[in-house]
Amino acid sequence: MNVLKPDAMTFHWEFTLGSERVREIVEGLPFAALGQNIFDAEWDEPAELFPPYEFYERGGVKIAVIGQAFPYLPIANPGWMFPEYSFGIRDEHMQAMVDEVRSQGAELVVCLSHNGFDVDKKMAGIVKGIDVILSGHTHDALPEPVLVDETIIVASGSNGKFVSRVDLNVRDGRMMGFRHKLIPILSDVIEPDKEVAAIIDEVRAPYEDAMSEVIGTSDSLLYRRGNFNGPWDDVICDALLSEREADIALSPGVRW
């Protein structure tokens, strides 16, 4: 991530590293790690480690980016590893943050969100003043943004399969229009960045033998493209039925 040089991030799976490791990483990041809905669990106050927003200037426009971490972290992840934090959607606090950045001169408000697409749609109808929500978590790849009141929601898929480009026309502190393109990343026709590729090779090197071990072969392609059923799910479910003598086997729509 440091080599990719993003402007900002928000959170979900990082907390499975445990709060001490998260703190160690975040304190050394060269970019903003945002979460308006990350609170101190004991005092029910915003956690100091995670600023709610950051300001940027692009094209002469003052932009506020507000972070929205995954609201159900202690349910979906091992909550015992970060007991000092609480999350939730916190619409009222989000509205307060939008009002706060507007009062500080923000001409454009962007929410960097890990809510999931449906929750983002709901939030956009409740919180007023967000121009753009960059939506993550549910892996939706939408060819066009979804408009809720005056907020556009951009969903760019997952796993680096797409990048979204959004050009915004902002005048007099208001978004007047936008252009959007969902760009597919075709890994077999794009030359890898040499610096990033070298870092990946270095990280993988100690585990190369284990990862290259052949544990079985398949006559057809095994894949998991999204949140729905695929041949990898069938392998998992068939194994559960066979080895655990189950009557019903389900592969959750969350991940592997």
Side-chain angles (χ1 to χ4, degrees):
M1 290 288 287
N2 293 349
V3 177
L4 288 173
K5 296 182 174 66
D7 290 308
M9 68 167 286
T10 192
F11 295 87
H12 180 191
W13 289 101
E14 294 80 13
F15 276 90
T16 303
L17 299 173
S19 53
E20 289 187 14
R21 178 64 175 142
V22 169
R23 173 178 291 278
E24 180 184 359
I25 294 172
V26 167
E27 287 179 343
L29 285 179
F31 52 87
L34 307 175
Q36 73 85 22
N37 60 331
I38 306 177
F39 273 49
D40 181 289
E42 182 176 358
W43 300 101
D44 196 33
E45 295 176 346
E48 292 184 0
L49 184 62
F50 311 101
Y53 55 79
E54 186 66 72
F55 285 102
Y56 304 88
E57 186 173 322
R58 297 290 186 272
V61 175
K62 188 175 183 179
I63 303 167
V65 176
I66 303 174
Q68 176 79 354
F70 182 55
Y72 312 120
L73 256 161
I75 300 172
N77 299 69
W80 60 270
M81 296 188 73
F82 43 92
E84 61 268 57
Y85 297 116
S86 65
F87 300 86
I89 300 170
R90 300 187 186 271
D91 289 329
E92 292 183 1
H93 192 255
M94 174 65 82
Q95 184 67 70
M97 293 300 97
V98 173
D99 297 342
E100 186 173 309
V101 296
R102 290 287 186 186
S103 72
Q104 296 179 42
E107 300 170 89
L108 186 79
V109 177
V110 176
C111 176
L112 182 62
S113 173
H114 207 95
N115 274 337
F117 182 64
D118 288 334
V119 178
D120 280 327
K121 285 196 296 183
K122 183 74 171 180
M123 188 177 72
I126 295 172
V127 179
K128 305 304 178 186
I130 301 175
D131 295 300
V132 181
I133 297 177
L134 302 177
S135 181
H137 181 62
T138 42
H139 293 197
D140 307 274
L142 302 183
E144 293 292 336
V146 169
L147 184 64
V148 177
D149 296 333
E150 295 186 352
T151 302
I152 65 169
I153 305 174
V154 177
S156 307
S158 69
N159 301 88
K161 293 195 287 283
F162 298 93
V163 169
S164 284
R165 173 171 176 153
V166 186
D167 293 283
L168 304 168
N169 180 6
V170 180
R171 282 181 287 170
D172 300 323
R174 187 175 179 190
M175 187 174 69
M176 308 300 290
F178 66 89
R179 289 183 301 179
H180 168 271
K181 189 171 185 180
L182 184 69
I183 304 167
I185 303 301
L186 305 174
S187 59
D188 56 346
V189 297
I190 298 175
E191 183 179 352
D193 181 271
K194 290 182 173 58
E195 185 179 3
V196 175
I199 290 173
I200 292 171
D201 289 343
E202 181 183 351
V203 171
R204 284 188 169 188
Y207 314 101
E208 199 62 46
D209 289 344
M211 291 195 300
S212 60
E213 180 186 355
V214 177
I215 59 173
T217 58
S218 171
D219 294 329
S220 60
L221 181 65
L222 299 178
Y223 62 87
R224 185 101 195 277
R225 290 187 63 89
N227 288 352
F228 301 104
N229 190 63
W232 255 121
D233 300 86
D234 293 337
V235 169
I236 294 168
C237 290
D238 287 347
L240 291 169
L241 292 171
S242 172
E243 296 302 313
R244 296 300 181 187
E245 298 180 1
D247 297 310
I248 299 173
L250 303 175
S251 177
V254 283
R255 298 296 175 269
W256 295 88

